[in-house]
Amino acid sequence: MAVEDKLISETLEIFRNNPEKKYDPEQINDILRMNGAQAFKKIVKSLAILEGEGKINVNSSGRFKLAPTDQIVEGEFRANEKGFGFVRYDETDPDIFIAKPNVLHAINGDEVKVKITKPANPWGSKGPEGEIVEIVSHGLTELVGEFQPYSDIQVKKTGMLGYVQSHEKKISGYRIFIPDEGLHPQLGDMVKVSLTRYPSKELPQSMEGVAETILGNKNDPGVDILTIVYDNDIHVDFPDDAIMQSEKIPDTVTDEERKGRVDITDQVMVTIDGDDSKDFDDAVTLWKMDNGNYHLGVAIADVSHYVTEGSPLDQEAYTRGTSTYLTDRVIPMIPFRLSNGICSLNPGVDRLSLTCDMEIDPDGNIVSHEIYPSIINSHARLTYSNVNKILDGDEELIEDNSKLVPMLNEMSELHSILYKKRHDRGAIDFEEPEAKTIVDENGKAIDIQIRERGISERMIESFMLAANETVAEHYKKMHLPFLYRVHEKPDEEKVKNFFEIASTFGVQVQGSLKNVTPKMLQEVITKTQGTPEELVTTTMLLRSMQQARYSEEPLGHFGLAAEFYTHFTSPIRRYPDLVVHRMIHQYANDKSESIQEKWSEQLPEIGQHSSSRERHSIDAERAVNDLKRTEYMEENVGEVYDGVVGSVTSFGIFVTLENTVEGLVHISNMQDDFYEYDEKQLALIGKRTHKIYKIGQPIKVKLIRADVEQRKIDFEVVLPPEEQAKVDELKKKNAARRHGGNKHRNNRGSKKPFNKH
């Protein structure tokens, strides 16, 4: 930030923190402790700029005051466990901070109206602040929690059976009282509750609800995951009408369905997926053309043919938005009969698909393409692990798949070309280790295995990206309403912080902050690859990025450095892809104004809803992941591990182990010194020893706690023996001092007993 911008920002902060107070230039000068005539001129200039922008007003006597904001906006309240929260009211504008006294008893997920009391500081990093003035609607209508029964006397006195308390941190502080009617849960049961009364001024920490379903005791196998699923509003069971519709759909392709489709069953299409995959969205084929170009065919299961618009299956798929992949189960977007059956590109059977054929030159340019409805027949179901082994030269697998090996080698060749092209244009390639938690037959975590991404995984990713970009560009250039997957430019202030950290590693970024490109950020990642700073730069870059979402506007995909991008390749598990297929079919037959108007009206809501459902699914997947990892670590309390500092906060350091498990070393457990947080260095620094803990630093830690219910893991730093001896000695001295003080106080406060003899 330039010096002038910094001064404007600091000046505005004075007004934001005291919105009712009036200041003259001399008072601002004194508060900022500026000296000299030149400095005073800069203050006056800052005030003039802020007044010109309408941020402050000036009265007839030359005194300045924050401009009134009386702006009221509507958005979703995101609660924090400590009582404050944020309201998201716009996809791109910063969230509004709501202090604890201004929450108006709103709970997480509520739709609220907010009066902005402090506007955002465009010259600095401070977002707006506000107070909730109205709760428009409650987002939380059901929740799952642990039942605590009342005694018979309490039941008679209150008319309540007891209360339910959620394990979710954002709402765990509330008690939901259950009236003595309907279901009668037992102690420790996990209960799904339909809420009938919400927090109020009179009863701020309680709610009331009816017990709808008893999931089972909290210690029963599978109940822990089911609790998280319900907490994230993810449907487990399909409605009867959706099931009936799915059962009426034939499990083979009929003669009628073949009409109007291109039969490409002779093409050597293959699916390449994970070892345990059951539903196959995509199949690929490749051959070298006479002109030296590559023909890449990407065939995607035509789910939209079976899940018809407005049908019960479609309504339920829209509600779910996406399939949810948990440690030991999949909660599908469409019933398994379809997702694993007629909609899955299983080997050796004819299937309906939408195909995107691309002709790609040796430089990775897509010189021509065609998108059309087709019939395919997958020639083989291949797995990532086996294809990786084939490409690595496994003789036995090469012999078993001899007919496919030449095509697989050419696929690997094309992937290298496409990857280079994406990299050259600036696509940011995040390489984070993936881990899979292994569970036993009762769902208990027994191992964590690191999953390596090989050439085959990257290869299929390259082909799907190419198809998604091709489809998006095709319909954008036809000027038809369409649904895009967008990823906007990162926040300027966060990027500035990212560049400042990069400069401390000796990485200088070329280019302007006002016009950040993916290439600028990619260069930082590339220059720190394989160094201790790699984790820091990757972590900070991820934090500075916006969240990808669905939109009817073709805003591009910043992370992929793609001008046009959509989701076309996974209609079995993502509703937006299903909608994209539906539009492709309709536009092939009818591009009339009425069809275009229909999609123009529907797409904004579809995009917003799909983005929201995606977040619900991700939250559930992460929560289950955290739960099972904590469960696995619970058996290892007391063990010592090597790890890396993943992030640093004012209250401690988060450490990531080699198995990707993350836990906290709380500052209260760092007993060798008093540590202070340095925001500029993103580090904790010891006051006496000057020892530094910063992101990317290797560290040895001991597991001291694994709380499965709260999904929290706590570590303490393992010090070298000589440092640990000093800490132990200091503890002894402090204990002795406390013991001596207590003894002295006890003696001083006692009286000798009366001796009558």
Side-chain angles (χ1 to χ4, degrees), residues 500-534:
E500 285 175 356
I501 288 166
S503 67
T504 65
F505 303 148
V507 178
Q508 297 303 318
V509 183
Q510 304 299 318
S512 166
L513 262 177
K514 299 289 182 188
N515 188 28
V516 175
T517 66
K519 189 76 173 172
M520 291 162 63
L521 303 180
Q522 183 210 68
E523 284 173 2
V524 179
I525 296 294
T526 303
K527 287 176 182 176
T528 57
Q529 266 179 354
T531 70
E533 288 79 27
E534 182 178 6

Side-chain angles (χ1 to χ4, degrees), residues 209-271:
V210 176
E212 282 193 342
T213 310
I214 298 171
L215 306 183
N217 188 273
K218 65 176 180 178
N219 298 315
D220 291 345
V223 170
D224 50 2
I225 290 181
L226 207 52
T227 297
I228 291 170
V229 167
Y230 278 112
D231 267 328
N232 285 280
D233 190 28
I234 292 168
H235 291 202
V236 176
D237 300 315
F238 283 92
D240 291 342
D241 54 358
I243 293 292
M244 285 172 62
Q245 183 187 348
S246 71
E247 288 174 348
K248 288 176 182 175
I249 293 170
D251 60 3
T252 56
V253 175
T254 65
D255 291 339
E256 186 64 29
E257 289 169 330
R258 295 174 185 273
K259 293 176 183 176
R261 290 178 178 269
V262 181
D263 188 325
I264 53 173
T265 53
D266 59 327
Q267 292 184 9
V268 184
M269 285 273 180
V270 296
T271 62

Side-chain angles (χ1 to χ4, degrees), residues 431-499:
E431 277 302 324
E432 290 187 292
E434 292 182 21
K436 182 179 181 180
T437 306
I438 309 300
V439 297
D440 64 17
E441 64 277 4
N442 293 318
K444 185 171 174 58
I446 55 173
D447 195 13
I448 297 174
Q449 296 176 356
I450 302 296
R451 287 194 287 201
E452 297 291 337
R453 258 167 50 95
I455 292 174
S456 67
E457 288 93 337
R458 300 166 193 271
M459 185 171 81
I460 293 301
E461 181 181 58
S462 283
F463 298 165
M464 297 306 115
L465 291 175
N468 285 333
E469 287 187 52
T470 300
V471 170
E473 185 173 4
H474 179 93
Y475 288 96
K476 172 64 178 72
K477 288 186 173 178
M478 289 182 76
H479 305 290
L480 293 167
F482 210 64
L483 187 62
Y484 300 93
R485 177 70 168 179
V486 303
H487 185 224
E488 288 143 293
K489 279 188 177 183
D491 177 76
E492 189 179 308
E493 188 66 24
K494 289 179 180 176
V495 171
K496 181 179 77 70
N497 293 337
F498 173 70
F499 286 166

Side-chain angles (χ1 to χ4, degrees), residues 713-733:
I713 290 171
D714 291 317
F715 296 123
E716 66 180 14
V717 178
V718 176
L719 300 169
E722 63 277 8
E723 290 184 32
Q724 188 60 52
K726 289 179 184 177
V727 172
D728 293 341
E729 185 60 33
L730 187 62
K731 281 181 182 177
K732 281 181 186 175
K733 285 180 181 177

